[in-house]
Amino acid sequence: SKYLALSDLHFTRALLRAKSSLNQLLERVLPMPGMIKVDLLPIAGERHRLALMLRDRHDGITPFGLRGEGVKRMITLLAELITTDRSANHRIILLDEPENSLHADAQHLLREFLWELTSNGRCQVVYATHSPCMINPIRPEQVRLLVREKIGDTATTKLVRRSAAENYAGVRTALGISAADSLLYAPVTIVTEGETEVRCILPLVLKLIAAGIEDLDDAEKLLG
């Protein structure tokens, strides 16, 4: 009712602001700048009905419903995330395999975007995944490992109560992440020449941390 009462000029400006806000959020979760942009258009001049159109980087315009499943999933998820980001209440977001239909780059960005949502302290995000891209090796404490087992005559799912590092190792193995994959998935990769250099890395990193060198805030998480 608020927007229906606006003049044509102010209604157009409101649509432009909404479009700009949505496109800024899209930039955070899509792997390439300008890959997808949103257009909001009134249908036959009716303000209470809007068409959601998607514009690609070649200026091709497609109705939302005709895009691929990965793009539709990301934009649908944004609707919930926008609401969460602006809510004053504590919220829990539960997602089942949010990486489906997304390629690896988009999965990495989605994972970090979900992490950012929790930074205000009012939101907790829990998701189930079968993708190594949705697990950040620098934050093994975020991983929870569930196993299926039978207790007596009852089949149940049990939370494995082990240290975060052990849980991460188990999940990493289950997802088939090998040492070679670390070159692709690790936020930091260190290549050494031999055993002597390996032994020197730990005290060297500890000295750099103690010296207050920038960009090493998370280095201690890697030392294990």
Side-chain angles (χ1 to χ4, degrees), residues 71-220:
V71 172
K72 288 195 289 188
R73 177 181 290 266
M74 291 294 287
I75 294 177
T76 302
L77 180 59
L78 275 176
E80 175 62 25
L81 300 186
I82 291 169
T83 305
T84 299
D85 208 29
R86 296 180 177 178
S87 172
N89 300 318
H90 186 275
R91 305 191 68 177
I92 299 177
I93 298 179
L94 304 177
L95 301 169
D96 184 29
E97 299 180 32
E99 72 275 6
N100 284 350
S101 303
L102 299 179
H103 60 73
D105 285 345
Q107 291 181 37
H108 284 296
L109 289 169
L110 173 62
R111 182 197 70 218
E112 290 306 297
F113 183 55
L114 295 175
W115 162 250
E116 284 181 29
L117 280 179
T118 66
S119 62
N120 62 13
R122 299 195 309 269
C123 178
Q124 182 180 10
V125 178
V126 180
Y127 58 82
T129 184
H130 294 288
S131 170
C133 299
M134 295 298 291
I135 297 175
N136 189 342
I138 204 169
R139 302 191 190 110
E141 70 276 6
Q142 295 177 350
V143 179
R144 298 293 180 270
L145 183 62
L146 300 175
V147 295
R148 193 75 172 156
E149 63 178 34
K150 190 171 184 179
I151 300 178
D153 295 327
T154 305
T156 185
T157 300
K158 181 181 178 182
L159 178 66
V160 179
R161 298 188 177 279
R162 296 190 304 213
S163 68
E166 288 182 273
N167 274 345
Y168 175 67
V171 172
R172 180 177 59 191
T173 302
L175 293 177
I177 307 176
S178 68
D181 293 324
S182 296
L183 294 174
L184 298 176
Y185 295 119
V188 176
T189 301
I190 300 174
V191 181
T192 62
E193 185 176 358
E195 184 177 349
T196 302
E197 288 75 13
V198 171
R199 292 180 179 274
C200 290
I201 286 175
L202 178 59
L204 175 61
V205 172
L206 289 173
K207 287 184 178 181
L208 292 173
I209 294 172
I213 302 300
E214 292 184 4
D215 299 325
L216 284 174
D217 297 340
D218 290 325
E220 290 185 82

Side-chain angles (χ1 to χ4, degrees), residues 2 15 39 57 61-62 67 87 96 145 158 169 209:
K2 170 184 171 184
L15 275 187
D39 273 335
R57 62 183 183 276
I61 300 176
T62 312
R67 290 305 302 244
S87 172
D96 184 29
L145 183 62
K158 181 181 178 182
I209 294 172

